[in-house]
């Protein structure tokens, strides 16, 4: 079960913030009706170092889609607008994944400015969205008026079917999870199943084996000791293997 919403923010968590009034479609020509950063700060994604950034916390995990961008629209400070940017996302605000590098067009400086269609994030799953400026249009400060992004809330209680490993049906639930994840195992034949968990850098952090008996369903609880973050689960049985991403989130 999912629900489609629009996540609409002028600004939330960032290095320097000015809260401004939002307009339906059009945007103000005042620089203070938005976000402005005139001094770099330590980025939440340590790979970005000290930079000009804005971080959004949506409060829950969402599959994120189409963005709409309103760049800095003050006619005397159009050069403050973000130009080339990194966009990163995270389930926990700690482990970050890059969604890519994008270019935001310069605003018009007119009161009729209605923003532009931004990147489509194509269903990436995150609670946090981080926009980091690589450069701007030549100004001493960096600005962004407003951002919208379409999102579908991810329901943590849903069962996530993985795949069939020859004669073993495997499911993962919940995914994402807050405390622990359960692997549901429905074997049609007997044998030894092995699962391995890797972190976002590809380092093996846990593994175990489970003996399965044909016709006898079983389950395995995993992830209890993991910190919140993104992981990869690798499962092997009968000479075949599958892998699936798993996400542990902070309990709200």
């Amino acid at each position: 079960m999912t629900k489609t919403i629009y996540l609409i923010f002028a600004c939330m968590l960032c290095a320097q913030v000015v809260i401004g009034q939002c307009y339906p479609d059009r945007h103000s020509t005042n620089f203070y009706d938005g976000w402005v950063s005139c001094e770099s700060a330590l980025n939440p994604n340590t790979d970005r170092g000290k930079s000009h950034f804005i971080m959004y916390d949506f409060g829950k995990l969402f599959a994120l889609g189409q963005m709409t961008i309103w760049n800095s629209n003050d006619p005397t400070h159009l050069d403050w607008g973000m130009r080339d940017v990194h966009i990163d996302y995270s389930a926990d605000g700690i482990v970050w994944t890059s969604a890519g590098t994008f270019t935001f067009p310069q605003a018009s400086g007119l009161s009729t400015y209605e923003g532009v269609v931004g990147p489509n994030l194509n269903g990436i799953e995150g609670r946090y969205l981080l926009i980091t400026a690589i450069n701007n249009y030549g100004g001493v400060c960096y600005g962004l008026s407003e951002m919208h992004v379409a999102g579908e809330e991810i329901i943590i209680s849903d069962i996530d079917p993985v795949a069939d490993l020859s004669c073993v049906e495997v499911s993962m639930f919940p995914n994402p999870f807050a405390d622990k994840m359960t692997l549901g195992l429905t074997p049609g034949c007997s044998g030894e199943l092995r699962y391995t968990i890797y972190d976002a850098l590809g380092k093996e952090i846990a593994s175990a084996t489970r003996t399965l008996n044909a016709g006898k369903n079983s389950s395995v609880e995993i992830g209890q000791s993991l910190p919140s973050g993104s992981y990869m689960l690798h499962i092997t049985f009968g000479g075949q293997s599958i892998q699936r991403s798993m996400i542990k989130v902070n309990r709200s």
Side-chain angles (χ1 to χ4, degrees):
M1 176 182 177
T2 60
K3 63 179 181 181
T4 301
I5 66 166
Y6 279 92
L7 307 168
I8 305 174
F9 294 87
C11 41
M12 288 191 64
L13 303 179
C14 51
Q16 293 81 24
V17 174
V18 179
I19 301 294
Q21 179 181 358
C22 294
Y23 297 81
D25 298 328
R26 297 184 179 182
H27 210 281
S28 166
T29 56
N30 297 317
F31 75 84
Y32 46 79
D33 285 339
W35 166 87
V36 174
S37 171
C38 295
E39 184 178 349
S40 62
L42 186 62
N43 197 292
N45 181 353
T46 55
D47 290 343
R48 306 296 180 207
K50 291 191 67 176
S51 49
H52 300 272
F53 65 89
I54 179 168
M55 184 178 76
Y56 300 91
D57 179 357
F58 302 128
K60 298 179 181 179
L61 198 65
F62 287 88
L64 301 175
Q66 182 64 58
M67 297 177 68
T68 304
I69 300 297
W70 286 258
N71 219 331
S72 184
N73 195 43
D74 186 324
T76 62
H77 296 298
L78 293 179
D79 55 357
W80 288 5
M82 287 186 170
R83 186 172 183 173
D84 299 314
V85 302
H86 297 296
I87 296 182
D88 302 307
Y89 61 98
S90 174
D92 57 7
I94 301 172
V95 177
W96 293 93
T97 302
S98 173
T101 301
F102 306 93
T103 299
F104 293 169
Q106 193 172 28
S108 66
L110 301 175
S111 60
T112 54
Y113 176 56
E114 295 185 341
V116 296
V117 175
N120 191 327
L121 300 178
N122 296 312
I124 62 173
E125 298 178 359
R127 169 176 170 172
Y128 300 89
L129 191 67
L130 178 64
I131 301 175
T132 302
I134 300 172
N135 52 42
N136 61 9
Y137 285 88
V140 296
C141 296
Y142 291 72
L144 186 67
S145 292
E146 190 174 344
M147 184 278 289
H148 295 188
V149 59
E152 290 187 351
E153 182 179 352
I154 297 173
I155 308 301
I156 292 182
S157 60
D158 283 351
I159 294 177
D160 184 6
V162 177
D164 291 336
L165 273 173
S166 186
C167 61
V168 179
E169 181 181 337
V170 183
S171 62
M172 298 164 54
F173 58 95
N175 189 28
F177 64 102
D179 296 317
K180 59 187 177 183
M181 174 187 286
T182 299
L183 296 181
L185 305 172
T186 305
C189 54
S190 301
E192 187 173 82
L193 178 142
R194 181 178 181 83
Y195 64 88
T196 306
I197 301 173
Y198 298 89
D199 65 15
L201 299 177
K203 179 182 178 182
E204 180 179 328
I205 56 176
S207 65
T209 58
R210 179 88 169 195
T211 300
L212 304 182
N213 297 312
K216 186 176 181 180
N217 296 349
S218 63
S219 62
V220 181
E221 294 179 346
I222 63 175
Q224 299 94 322
S225 61
L226 296 178
S228 57
S230 299
Y231 300 90
M232 184 63 68
L233 176 66
H234 187 90
I235 301 173
T236 302
F237 181 84
Q240 295 181 317
S241 62
I242 56 173
Q243 61 181 17
R244 181 77 168 189
S245 63
M246 52 187 285
I247 299 175
K248 186 170 187 178
V249 298
N250 289 321
R251 177 171 291 278
S252 301

